[in-house]
Amino acid sequence: MELSEVAPALAALAQPTRLETFRLLVRHEPDGLPAGEIARRLAIPANTLSAHLAVLSRAGLVTPERRSRSVIYRVDLDRLRGLILFLVQDCCGGRAELCDPLVADLSPRCV
């Protein structure tokens, strides 16, 4: 990823409701969640959520998919991967042994 793509993504995540929304969607990959369910789980009005989802979508972090009468939102995992890699690409000045704990912490903890 380029800095011009990373900055808007980080800016989108810098707001608490958007960060909470994004983290909720990460937990529900690969199926995603309908917008109404996101609003219900986070206890926020649908119109407020809509504005937050639009920011996340413009930043390329989430993608909407219409299914019948619902819009399902999913995290763009490739974009998330690119964002994380951008942040750590120069980790520890090339000293891999210093980065091992970070890499281990980034490993999924899926049950």
Side-chain angles (χ1 to χ4, degrees):
M1 285 181 82
E2 299 294 323
L3 183 59
S4 62
E5 298 171 289
V6 171
L10 292 175
L13 294 173
Q15 197 280 340
T17 301
R18 288 193 292 270
L19 182 57
E20 192 175 12
T21 300
F22 184 78
R23 294 188 71 212
L24 175 65
L25 289 172
V26 166
R27 288 191 299 273
H28 285 86
E29 275 300 308
D31 299 324
L33 286 173
E37 181 65 13
I38 297 167
R40 186 187 69 73
R41 288 181 185 216
L42 299 179
I44 57 175
N47 61 338
T48 300
L49 176 65
S50 179
H52 289 303
L53 287 169
V55 172
L56 291 168
S57 184
R58 281 192 302 275
L61 295 169
V62 301
T63 56
E65 177 187 330
R66 180 160 292 284
R67 290 188 199 157
S68 185
R69 293 175 40 178
S70 296
V71 178
I72 307 299
Y73 284 87
R74 295 188 55 226
V75 168
D76 184 330
L77 291 176
D78 288 333
R79 187 75 157 191
L80 176 57
R81 183 179 303 110
L83 180 61
I84 292 168
L85 288 173
F86 179 88
L87 293 172
V88 300
Q89 70 185 3
D90 299 320
C91 178
C92 304
R95 295 178 56 197
E97 72 278 5
L98 297 176
C99 293
D100 286 343
L102 172 63
V103 172
D105 285 346
L106 289 174
S107 296
R109 291 183 173 85
C110 301
V111 178

